Amino acid sequence: MTAFEEFGVLPEIGRAVDEMEWTLPTDVQAEAIPLILGGGDVLMAAETGSGKTGAFCVPILQIVWETLKDIQEGKGQKGGGSTGVVAKPWTMSFFDRGNALAVSPDGFKCQSREFKEWHGCRATTGVQGAGKYFYEATVTDEGLCRVGWSTQAANLDLGTCKYGFGFGGTGKKSNSRQFDDYGEAFGINDVIGCLLDLQSSEVSFMKNGKHLGVAFKVPDFLRTEAFYPAVVLKNAEMLFNFGEEAFKHPPPDGFVALVNVVGKCVKSNPLAAPTAAALEDAKPKPNAPQAIIIEPSRELAEQTLTQITRFKKHLKDPVISELLLIGGVNVREQMAVLERGVDIIVATPGRLEDLIGGGYLLLSHCRFFVLDEADGLLQQGYGDMIDRLHKQIPKITADGRRLQMIVCSATLHSFEVKKMAERLMHFPTWVDLKGEDAVPETVHHVVVRVDPQKDTAWHSMRQRIQTDGVHAQDNVRPGNSTAETLSEAVKLLKGEYTVRAIEEHNMDRAIIFCRTKLDCDNLEKFLKMVGGQKYSCVCLHGDRKPQERKGNLEAFKEKRVKYLICTDVAARGIDVSGLPFMINITLPDEKSNYVHRIGRVGRAERMGLAISLVASVPEKVWYHGEWCKSRGRNCWNTNLTDQRGCCVWYNEMNYLAEIEDHLNITIPQVDRDMKVPVNDFDGKVVYGEKLRNTGSGYKDHVQQLTPVVKQLSDLESKAQILFLKHLPVR
């Protein structure tokens, strides 16, 4: 048995995981997998590279496969497999219920997680004629509820018509929308006894064994009707006991548990058996996936799909089908795959919403709604879209299963993510193994100050990086100490410092972050100009075509090129194993993105070095906002934004201070020669490899400590002898 199987993971998935050399689950996987398998909503906060993709893919794959297997074997339909099957007696009905109310597989627990509306349910069996009957209902979660009795003709919203009689947690009884004080309020863990006396035509209730008196007189026109246990909930949960188990508080003399009723007094609920229409609705449509996973970028979506493909390797009969929905791919091909049938969708937001809006992708059977890198999705402006999709997804699927929502990111502590979780998720469990943003222990990160006033090498550079053109109209030249000249000098020096860092640390592989797409392009040209194949590199940013981006990322992963130059589009979740080095050409203006960027190295317990080039003077940079009609394409408006332009002054020293304050650390600074002092890290580090020696760094330390140990041994012997000498003689 693999370690993953101990969490209840299928052996087939465990075998696939084992073949990926995941010997033991990571901390986030150990926490999240059982929670998701158990049916809960989960928020995951963990370091980048912690295995959070596997933490949600593994349990989702398992539940989807088990659901398909049940359908294949005829077990997939709640309440029976055909219209001729009678629903199990004395349980809550899977079919006579509101569309946002879930019933547990055994039929004894009802749950609704709708905050704004009431949703009700009736039992599969009722009583009529004569006799005295009793059942118990226990409140198992916070929320609003009413419980009692109703006829087949009653609304599911118990107590709002003349055919239903309810008692609510607010301490009011209700019939025909008449809410009157009765008994006392009740809440979580309280046990409500529901009594029906058909001989005296009375309905009454008990709370924790205390009889609350007669609540209703059943009118004459209902005396011949059948009465069914009923409940209505608003974001609440109740557990029912019809007498299968001993009652917590026995009923008064003469009242009979419902399961003990026999003969003509028992009446089956005709609405509790599945109709042909209900069975048809419960069958998954080919284009109605069970899981939808949303990623902020194409690269992440492709990476997640690859993981799913690996995990499902040994899952056969039935086979799970997955589909990648991203832009830049022929939409007709994606529509054709949807028509053939898809179980799991991995998508970027735009293409997903297009296909849902066009009716090509249905949400009727969606059981899992996953937001990966949620803060990235929100920062990109997809908050409203997420709300729209969540509103469209039934909270209970056609076959009676509750929607599970999983949100994961490296920065769950952002205000926006917390607000979204409160708004959309049902009492999520936080799997927070990260706390506030922190740099992984496997990453050494340093700052190199770029000071054009102290380093005047930019005066006479033979090979210069092409800059962004911000100062094309300014009089910038050596000897001129204007802010514009120093800003241009920073851009030139950063190109030179990048090459210097590569050379000093023999960087055979590195990811290099630039602030803009134009900066990426310019750095790519510069490295190829000064080094050719020696500095082989590719770019990854939004202006490159999807196929080029995919090809560039693959070339870097397969080590056909040494350096990947990118914007923050690659900062979130791109998994390149054993990556040893990262360079920040410019610090990000978002504090949390610093952690995302340097999290590209130091993964899988391998050591990494992150170098940030920080200008000591302000740098003028492009900033194309909503006011820029072309959003940066062929825009050369170098005025500042407060002058209706597209430039700002970027003060990296301020951003550095904010990052240090955010992380509550001081990031070490090194000189412009890029040398990282060996004694800073005990000289045990080979970047890109695991920390090999975690013991003492001293040579011959055993021999050195021998005399000290002997001295301590002698002192101990003397102390023991002294103690014995002073013992009293008896």
Side-chain angles (χ1 to χ4, degrees), residues 611-649:
I611 297 175
S612 297
L613 309 180
V614 179
S616 61
V617 296
E619 179 185 358
K620 190 177 181 182
V621 297
W622 290 111
Y623 184 74
H624 302 283
E626 295 177 357
W627 56 88
C628 180
K629 294 181 180 179
S630 68
R631 294 306 295 264
R633 292 183 181 273
N634 299 315
C635 173
W636 301 104
N637 183 352
T638 59
N639 290 330
L640 297 176
T641 54
D642 58 4
Q643 298 170 351
R644 304 181 65 83
C646 290
C647 287
V648 294
W649 284 98

Side-chain angles (χ1 to χ4, degrees), residues 119-275:
H119 289 270
C121 181
R122 267 188 291 266
T124 57
T125 323
V127 290
Q128 66 180 154
K132 297 181 179 182
Y133 308 105
F134 177 82
Y135 75 91
E136 277 185 344
T138 303
V139 184
T140 51
D141 205 346
E142 300 286 359
L144 299 176
C145 51
R146 287 196 298 274
V147 66
W149 304 87
S150 74
T151 69
Q152 180 188 331
N155 297 334
L156 285 175
D157 190 353
L158 179 66
T160 59
C161 67
K162 61 185 177 181
Y163 303 105
F165 306 88
F167 172 40
T170 56
K172 293 184 181 295
K173 61 180 182 178
S174 57
N175 172 255
S176 298
R177 290 196 178 277
Q178 180 77 28
F179 294 87
D180 298 317
D181 290 337
Y182 170 76
E184 55 191 68
F186 61 86
I188 188 168
N189 298 325
D190 285 329
V191 181
I192 304 304
C194 301
L195 301 98
L196 175 65
D197 185 346
L198 291 179
Q199 292 171 226
S200 303
S201 299
E202 293 176 346
V203 174
S204 56
F205 299 92
M206 296 166 56
K207 175 187 172 184
N208 299 330
K210 175 185 176 183
H211 197 285
L212 302 176
V214 175
F216 303 101
K217 280 283 187 181
V218 178
D220 291 342
F221 72 91
L222 291 179
R223 288 190 177 183
T224 59
E225 295 292 322
F227 287 83
Y228 304 92
V231 67
V232 64
L233 306 172
K234 182 189 283 189
N235 190 33
E237 184 180 272
M238 293 196 84
L239 178 67
F240 292 84
N241 180 9
F242 300 110
E244 293 273 4
E245 298 179 1
F247 292 123
K248 292 184 178 178
H249 304 284
D253 290 342
F255 282 84
V256 179
L258 288 175
V259 294
N260 296 327
V261 181
V262 293
K264 294 185 293 184
C265 293
V266 179
K267 176 72 173 177
S268 294
N269 181 356
L271 300 177
T275 63

Side-chain angles (χ1 to χ4, degrees), residues 273-295:
T275 63
L279 287 173
E280 189 60 32
D281 284 343
K283 292 179 181 177
K285 308 296 187 293
N287 59 338
Q290 294 191 51
I292 294 176
I293 302 168
I294 303 179
E295 302 282 359

Side-chain angles (χ1 to χ4, degrees), residues 632-670:
R633 292 183 181 273
N634 299 315
C635 173
W636 301 104
N637 183 352
T638 59
N639 290 330
L640 297 176
T641 54
D642 58 4
Q643 298 170 351
R644 304 181 65 83
C646 290
C647 287
V648 294
W649 284 98
Y650 201 81
N651 193 324
E652 279 193 281
M653 294 304 293
N654 285 349
Y655 288 125
L656 175 62
E658 290 179 6
I659 291 168
E660 290 183 328
D661 183 61
H662 180 63
L663 298 175
N664 196 28
I665 59 171
T666 299
I667 303 173
Q669 294 192 17
V670 299

